Amino acid sequence: MSLICKCYDETEILCNCLQTDYHFEYTECDSSGSRWRVAVPNPSVECSGLPDPVRGKECTFSCASGEYLEMKNQVCSKCAEGTYSLGSGIKFDEWDELPAGFSNVATFMDTAVGSSESKADSCNNSSWTPRGNYIESNRDDCTVSLIYAVHLKKSGFVFFEYQYIDNNIFFEFFIQNDQCKEMESTADKWVKLTDNGEWGSHSVTLKSGSNILYWRTTGILMGSKVVKPVLVKNITIEGVAYTSECFACKPGTFSDKPGASGCQVCPRDTYSEKGAKECTKCKEEMYYAEEGSSACIERPPCMSKDFFQIHTPCDKEGKTQIMYKWIEPKICREDLPDALTLPPSGERQDCPPCNPGFYNNASSSCTPCPPGTFSDGTQECKACPAGTEPALGFEYKWWNILPGNMKTSCFNVGNSKCDGMNGWEVAGDHIQSGAGGSDNDYLILSLHIPGFKPPTSVTGATGSELGRITFIFETICSADCVLYFMADVNRKNTNVVESWERSKERQSYTHIISKNASFTFTWAFQRINEGQDSRQFINDMAKIYSITVTNAVDGVASSCRACALGSEQSGSSCVPCPPGHYIEKESSQCKECPANTFLSIHQVYGREACIPCGPGSNSTKDHSACFSDCLVSYVKDNQSMNYNFSNLSRVGSLMSGPSFTSRGTKFFHFFNISLCGNEGKKMAICTDNITDVTLKDMVAESEDFSNFVGAFVCQSTIIPSDSKGFRTALALQSNSLADRFLGATVETTLENISIKADMFPPSPSKIPDMHFFYKSSTVTTSCENGRATVVTMRCNPNKPDQGELSVPSSCPAGTCDGCTFYFLWESAEACPLCTDQDYHEIEGACKKGFQETLYVWNEPKHCIKGVSLPEKKTSTCETVDFWLKVGAGVGAFTAVLLIALTCYFWKKNQKLEYKYSKLVMTTNSKECELPAADSCAIMEGEDNEEEIVYSNKQSLLGKLKSLATKEKEDNFESVQLKSSRSQNI
């Protein structure tokens, strides 16, 4: 807008600026640290005659708190009533709307899968939401940044309060400055978790110059649970050097003196508007206002939700009275139509008995039993018999008054309406959540136990359980209520152990205590988790019927248990048994458990207290647990197979996945497996890394680190760096899957834990798989018996060294029901040790009188280590050439002999045939002549050539046999001699 003035000659010119038409600002500081004050027209105003620039205050100048810099005279002045100033800083404590300078940026950071436009568009409605006294982050899996830019003339700091209770959402705070640096330390970037209902604070140093502040949250929706948002309030920035105006007090607060550095909250039943100097009182009987209200509200008619009943302490007659009280502060009216009045009080009822371990000594209250005595709550305390000791603990099942070691309170993250109220009320046989100030209050019940110790007789035991807490409860809800059970160790930090949403039937829950420390157990009930302050679900409640704690240091006794006596029983006092010793029933003396058994933490009386270790396991020296030394034997068909898994005793790791959330966020399941541990010590470690603390630092810090898990098998959820825009992969939700070793066997079932035959593909070899069974003592609502793990070791010579870990294809997360996990570990190191049956011998040829014998493995080879192949063996022998020569000689001699005999008998046969033919011819020529007298004599020069006619003619071979046979008796041939005379006759 231009200010036009008319001159006497009717010409128009710009008018001189009035003081309301401009304001003063400082120029940027020069290299000498000085600046100028200049007049700047207000927006959309044009005028002339602005004041000349003058030298301004030095750049580091600032006013004190409660003052502001009056730019016209460049002096510090006190803030007026109804306003305040921090001097050199600014504060944002009013969140009815997003303050000027703040902005929201929402994105879906999953670059691997969820980078489509549809997913990016789904985050358009995701933002930080102002809730009056605080601002609330998003509840989905979008990444939302709350951004504020500030220019500092000198170094300063930023401070804010926050509430961050859900580790399913990541909360970062970082800064970008002129040098494009984010933070000096990465530890400042990640904001620590806070306890339920408590506000934490965070402060970071700021450098001079431009600084852009980021509060960034990213939700990780791994299941159906709703993410609890991050809350931020009271953001204060110091280092702006000066402020040229004071800030008006926000509604519900006031400042009644000049020069205030802050505003006060209006008391109850008063209100104030913005910039108030004082609070205005509401009209009596008609309106009311909570503390810090900006307006008065008309009182509604009283309803049943506006009062509650309590039981008075027991009187001397053993009676209690039922009393009805209005919920304070009372905001309803009884004189309106349809309004209810307070029911009459004073109804007398019988008092419930004292809780076990307490007694009523003719008084109106219950007193703990003295040390060394016990009571069931209905009788006087009695001394424990000789040879027994009190079983210390707490058992609360009657709720006439709140026990001395329990407290109750109410807390609201956005206001103080329920401060001072009782969060829980006793109700005879149970204790129930109270009314509170509004539906989003946290109604808190806490129990403090200074420490735990096992019974005297098992002092020094190093078992995994020192005690336990068990409670029976139910929730009755019409809205999205939540009951949290939390544990605080040594008053350091409170962690949520388990939570239950909406209505739950009456049930029991047990939490195991594995370390001797101071514990505070907390139950927190919230009807709705929304920013509105209302009382619509006042009838939604949680009920706890009983709470039982065992082995409490300062506990009382409801019974006695057997204990070990010293060698001299004169005093019949109990003595501690050494670790791994049980109490013998006959003598009440300590006796060591047998080998390969472990001592039960629940029962130390009698030999049955020593529980045998499973197959393939040994007991520790103190008999506190069973462990595997990685040496396992198996007998089949009278053949023993021995395994040595020592080379696989190092922690094996497996990353399965990827998997995706309903919104497409990619994540992996990461497992660490310590197959044998180290004599019972669990070596697998899983940890959350969102705080960028190194593993070494966490181990050195203490065992109280809530995100540090040591087990035989543990699991973490891994979100890769490319999934949510983080610089490194994130590990979260670390938990133990196995903290107790059960045994190793080829059988598929052990202690009700089974593995199906088709869980993994069949083994290519005939070597049986060896199964390692583990159990976890952690009990959850979905796994009432705790988690279990089976690691199947399979012989595979093709996978050397550590081999390969895998999960069933039907259960890519390693489990199909969330309670039992299965793993297959294939490696050559899982093959049995070699024996004499795994090789055979091969004999070589005899060379030069020597023969070699070699030994080779059977193929395919399915064994490792064990026996070694025997060395090559050399022995003397008779060569094949010698026998060939002998055979050839004998053959040649035999052939010559046969030829000679053949020639001899052939020649003789020829002579006989000749004589025979001659005789026949002679006979034929003298047929007409008388035969001459026969003569047996042989004429001179004449051979005996009588023709012989064989009656049984033999073959040549037969003749040879007859000739070669030399027997004592004579051998004759029957022959017939023929002559001319005989023929004639």
Side-chain angles (χ1 to χ4, degrees):
M1 180 182 66
S2 299
L3 299 178
I4 305 299
C5 297
K6 285 188 178 182
C7 299
Y8 294 107
D9 57 0
E10 298 297 328
T11 58
E12 295 181 353
I13 60 173
L14 288 176
C15 299
N16 289 332
C17 295
L18 302 176
Q19 290 187 2
T20 57
D21 296 331
Y22 61 89
H23 62 279
F24 293 104
E25 293 183 2
Y26 280 125
T27 62
E28 293 291 331
C29 295
D30 56 23
S31 58
S32 62
S34 59
R35 55 187 173 182
W36 293 82
R37 187 205 71 179
V38 296
V40 180
N42 293 331
S44 67
V45 173
E46 294 184 16
C47 59
S48 62
L50 292 172
D52 295 332
V54 298
R55 184 171 293 278
K57 294 283 188 180
E58 60 273 15
C59 292
T60 58
F61 173 81
S62 62
C63 296
S65 59
E67 297 180 341
Y68 73 101
L69 182 62
E70 197 271 304
M71 294 293 291
K72 181 178 180 180
N73 300 317
Q74 298 193 74
V75 295
C76 293
S77 302
K78 290 186 176 182
C79 291
E81 297 174 350
T83 62
Y84 73 97
S85 170
L86 299 178
S88 61
I90 53 178
K91 184 177 182 179
F92 302 96
D93 58 357
E94 187 176 350
W95 298 97
D96 294 319
E97 60 182 5
L98 201 63
F102 282 88
S103 60
N104 268 304
V105 175
T107 56
F108 193 86
M109 297 293 293
D110 196 337
T111 58
V113 174
S115 57
S116 63
E117 294 183 2
S118 60
K119 291 180 179 177
D121 293 340
S122 65
C123 291
N124 290 339
N125 295 326
S126 183
S127 67
W128 287 76
T129 306
R131 295 295 188 186
N133 293 325
Y134 58 88
I135 186 169
E136 178 183 283
S137 75
N138 58 309
R139 298 168 180 256
D140 52 26
D141 54 355
C142 296
T143 298
V144 183
S145 298
L146 179 67
I147 305 173
Y148 183 78
V150 62
H151 186 82
L152 302 184
K153 300 298 182 181
K154 59 180 181 180
S155 60
F157 65 88
V158 56
F159 169 88
F160 61 90
E161 297 179 71
Y162 70 95
Q163 188 172 112
Y164 175 29
I165 63 175
D166 193 343
N167 59 5
N168 287 315
I169 188 169
F170 296 114
F171 182 28
E172 308 168 82
F173 174 73
F174 59 94
I175 303 161
Q176 286 185 339
N177 53 32
D178 289 339
Q179 290 77 35
C180 295
K181 292 184 178 180
E182 285 192 0
M183 306 286 281
E184 291 293 336
S185 172
T186 56
D188 294 332
K189 179 178 180 180
W190 298 101
V191 184
K192 295 182 179 179
L193 289 168
T194 61
D195 297 339
N196 264 341
E198 294 187 7
W199 289 92
S201 60
H202 194 76
S203 179
V204 178
T205 301
L206 300 177
K207 294 184 177 181
S208 60
S210 296
N211 291 269
I212 304 176
L213 314 181
Y214 293 86
W215 291 264
R216 186 166 75 177
T217 56
T218 303
I220 307 298
L221 302 182
M222 307 303 293
S224 59
K225 287 189 175 182
V226 177
V227 173
K228 307 299 181 185
V230 175
L231 311 180
V232 175
K233 68 176 184 179
N234 294 336
I235 298 177
T236 303
I237 301 174
E238 285 282 353
V240 295
Y242 75 94
T243 178
S244 59
E245 59 181 355
C246 296
F247 301 98
C249 292
K250 69 176 183 178
T253 63
F254 71 99
S255 172
D256 57 355
K257 294 180 181 180
S261 59
C263 300
Q264 304 176 53
V265 178
C266 287
R268 196 182 303 276
D269 290 334
T270 64
Y271 73 98
S272 71
E273 297 178 351
K274 190 171 185 176
K277 301 177 182 180
E278 60 182 9
C279 298
T280 305
K281 191 174 183 179
C282 297
K283 294 180 181 180
E284 294 184 7
E285 303 299 331
M286 295 293 294
Y287 296 91
Y288 78 98
E290 301 289 350
E291 189 179 82
S293 296
S294 59
C296 293
I297 303 173
E298 185 177 357
R299 296 179 183 270
C302 292
M303 307 296 290
S304 60
K305 64 182 180 181
D306 294 310
F307 61 84
F308 62 97
Q309 73 172 27
I310 62 170
H311 291 72
T312 62
C314 294
D315 56 24
K316 293 183 179 180
E317 298 177 358
K319 299 290 184 180
T320 181
Q321 297 184 37
I322 298 178
M323 308 296 292
Y324 293 91
K325 292 186 176 182
W326 294 110
I327 295 175
E328 296 294 340
K330 181 183 177 183
I331 61 173
C332 63
R333 292 176 59 184
E334 300 178 61
D335 56 350
L336 295 176
D338 300 326
L340 298 180
T341 58
L342 197 65
S345 300
E347 179 184 352
R348 292 167 61 83
Q349 295 181 349
D350 291 336
C351 282
C354 293
N355 282 309
F358 294 81
Y359 74 103
N360 188 331
N361 189 13
S363 64
S364 60
S365 61
C366 295
T367 306
C369 286
T373 63
F374 72 100
S375 172
D376 61 358
T378 61
Q379 300 177 354
E380 293 184 0
C381 299
K382 298 179 181 179
C384 288
T388 65
E389 64 178 350
L392 298 180
F394 293 102
E395 183 181 358
Y396 298 131
K397 60 181 181 179
W398 301 112
W399 303 93
N400 185 54
I401 60 172
L402 194 67
N405 58 351
M406 299 187 72
K407 295 181 180 180
T408 179
S409 60
C410 179
F411 180 82
N412 191 294
V413 297
N415 55 60
S416 57
K417 291 180 181 181
C418 71
D419 289 358
M421 292 184 179
N422 288 333
W424 292 67
E425 301 288 348
V426 294
D429 64 343
H430 67 274
I431 184 171
Q432 64 187 31
S433 56
S438 57
D439 290 337
N440 61 354
D441 293 341
Y442 285 99
L443 306 174
I444 298 173
L445 177 68
S446 61
L447 168 64
H448 179 67
I449 304 296
F452 291 86
K453 68 174 183 178
T456 301
S457 300
V458 291
T459 299
T462 58
S464 60
E465 179 181 336
L466 291 180
R468 58 175 56 194
I469 178 172
T470 302
F471 58 93
I472 300 175
F473 72 98
E474 71 172 331
T475 55
I476 305 170
C477 302
S478 58
D480 297 332
C481 68
V482 183
L483 174 64
Y484 298 94
F485 173 62
M486 299 170 285
D488 176 285
V489 183
N490 293 330
R491 300 185 183 275
K492 290 187 176 181
N493 59 323
T494 301
N495 300 306
V496 176
V497 178
E498 190 60 86
S499 63
W500 299 267
E501 297 179 355
R502 302 181 178 87
S503 293
K504 297 295 180 185
E505 295 181 353
R506 184 167 173 166
Q507 58 187 275
S508 175
Y509 179 80
T510 299
H511 177 62
I512 304 298
I513 310 300
S514 58
K515 61 170 33 175
N516 186 12
S518 174
F519 279 80
T520 298
F521 302 103
T522 301
W523 295 263
F525 180 71
Q526 188 180 37
R527 293 183 176 92
I528 58 173
N529 184 23
E530 296 180 2
Q532 59 186 12
D533 297 332
S534 62
R535 281 185 177 179
Q536 299 179 9
F537 307 103
I538 194 69
N539 294 322
D540 291 2
M541 67 178 65
K543 294 182 179 181
I544 296 178
Y545 293 92
S546 67
I547 300 175
T548 303
V549 182
T550 64
N551 298 338
V553 169
D554 61 344
V556 294
S558 61
S559 62
C560 299
R561 57 190 167 200
C563 68
L565 300 178
S567 57
E568 298 181 1
Q569 303 183 20
S570 57
S572 68
S573 59
C574 295
V575 297
C577 286
H581 288 63
Y582 69 95
I583 304 172
E584 193 177 42
K585 292 181 178 180
E586 292 76 13
S587 62
S588 294
Q589 300 295 309
C590 299
K591 193 169 184 179
E592 185 177 5
C593 283
N596 292 332
T597 64
F598 69 97
L599 185 64
S600 170
I601 193 66
H602 306 293
Q603 168 69 25
V604 295
Y605 191 62
R607 171 64 178 77
E608 59 270 19
C610 300
I611 303 174
C613 291
S617 62
N618 307 306
S619 62
T620 56
K621 294 180 180 179
D622 60 0
H623 297 277
S624 62
C626 297
F627 72 96
S628 172
D629 57 4
C630 281
L631 302 177
V632 184
S633 297
Y634 166 63
V635 178
K636 181 181 181 182
D637 299 333
N638 295 326
Q639 181 180 354
S640 178
M641 301 181 71
N642 300 312
Y643 296 81
N644 186 349
F645 300 103
S646 298
N647 286 348
L648 301 177
S649 62
R650 300 189 301 272
V651 176
S653 298
L654 168 66
M655 183 89 76
S656 70
S659 300
F660 301 91
T661 65
S662 57
R663 290 283 296 270
T665 300
K666 181 170 67 175
F667 66 94
F668 295 86
H669 293 288
F670 180 75
F671 302 94
N672 275 331
I673 300 176
S674 175
L675 188 66
C676 305
N678 183 11
E679 294 190 359
K681 184 178 180 181
K682 301 174 280 289
M683 304 300 293
I685 294 175
C686 295
T687 180
D688 296 352
N689 71 341
I690 62 172
T691 54
D692 284 348
V693 180
T694 64
L695 182 61
K696 179 180 178 181
D697 294 337
M698 286 187 297
V699 174
E701 184 178 345
S702 72
E703 293 183 359
D704 298 333
F705 192 82
S706 59
N707 296 325
F708 176 84
V709 176
F712 285 108
V713 182
C714 61
Q715 175 192 27
S716 295
T717 300
I718 304 296
I719 300 177
S721 57
D722 62 350
S723 182
K724 282 292 182 181
F726 297 113
R727 292 187 175 182
T728 59
L730 298 182
L732 66 153
Q733 299 179 347
S734 299
N735 56 75
S736 169
L737 303 182
D739 53 23
R740 185 165 69 93
F741 177 69
L742 300 182
T745 175
V746 296
E747 303 297 332
T748 57
T749 301
L750 184 64
E751 292 193 18
N752 297 324
I753 304 172
S754 300
I755 177 172
K756 297 180 180 179
D758 59 349
M759 183 65 69
F760 296 105
S763 174
S765 68
K766 296 182 179 180
I767 302 299
D769 294 337
M770 185 66 65
H771 308 291
F772 280 67
F773 291 83
Y774 306 87
K775 195 74 180 289
S776 173
S777 58
T778 303
V779 178
T780 63
T781 54
S782 57
C783 303
E784 296 181 354
N785 297 322
R787 295 187 177 97
T789 300
V790 182
V791 180
T792 298
M793 307 302 298
R794 175 169 293 177
C795 171
N796 191 333
N798 298 324
K799 296 182 179 180
D801 301 328
Q802 287 292 97
E804 180 181 350
L805 272 164
S806 61
V807 295
S809 58
S810 57
C811 308
T815 177
C816 297
D817 59 2
C819 296
T820 305
F821 291 76
Y822 301 96
F823 302 93
L824 176 63
W825 197 334
E826 296 181 273
S827 171
E829 297 292 335
C831 296
L833 299 179
C834 295
T835 65
D836 296 340
Q837 305 296 322
D838 293 308
Y839 64 84
H840 62 278
E841 65 179 25
I842 298 178
E843 294 183 348
C846 187
K847 296 181 179 180
K848 298 181 180 180
F850 295 96
Q851 184 182 36
E852 292 183 347
T853 302
L854 303 178
Y855 297 89
V856 295
W857 295 112
N858 298 334
E859 292 294 340
K861 182 185 177 184
H862 288 133
C863 67
I864 59 168
K865 302 176 183 177
V867 300
S868 302
L869 281 176
E871 296 292 335
K872 180 176 62 176
K873 184 174 67 175
T874 303
S875 59
T876 59
C877 63
E878 295 180 352
T879 62
V880 176
D881 293 342
F882 172 79
W883 289 108
L884 286 176
K885 292 179 181 179
V886 172
V890 172
F893 174 79
T894 303
V896 171
L897 179 62
L898 288 174
I899 293 172
L901 291 174
T902 302
C903 292
Y904 169 77
F905 286 108
W906 179 82
K907 181 178 179 182
K908 188 174 183 179
N909 187 52
Q910 289 293 105
K911 288 182 177 181
L912 289 176
E913 288 180 354
Y914 169 76
K915 289 182 178 181
Y916 174 75
S917 61
K918 184 178 179 182
L919 179 62
V920 171
M921 291 175 62
T922 303
T923 302
N924 292 335
S925 63
K926 295 182 177 181
E927 288 180 352
C928 297
E929 296 182 4
L930 291 172
D934 290 332
S935 177
C936 294
I938 300 177
M939 298 301 293
E940 185 178 352
E942 191 178 9
D943 292 334
N944 187 14
E945 295 178 348
E946 291 289 334
E947 184 177 346
I948 299 174
V949 179
Y950 291 90
S951 61
N952 185 15
K953 189 176 181 179
Q954 290 182 315
S955 65
L956 177 63
L957 181 61
K959 294 178 180 179
L960 290 175
K961 287 182 179 180
S962 299
L963 214 71
T965 304
K966 296 180 179 179
E967 296 177 349
K968 292 181 179 183
E969 64 273 12
D970 296 333
N971 293 327
F972 296 96
E973 290 182 345
S974 178
V975 297
Q976 184 178 4
L977 295 178
K978 290 183 178 182
S979 64
S980 58
R981 191 181 63 171
S982 62
Q983 187 175 11
N984 293 329
I985 292 174

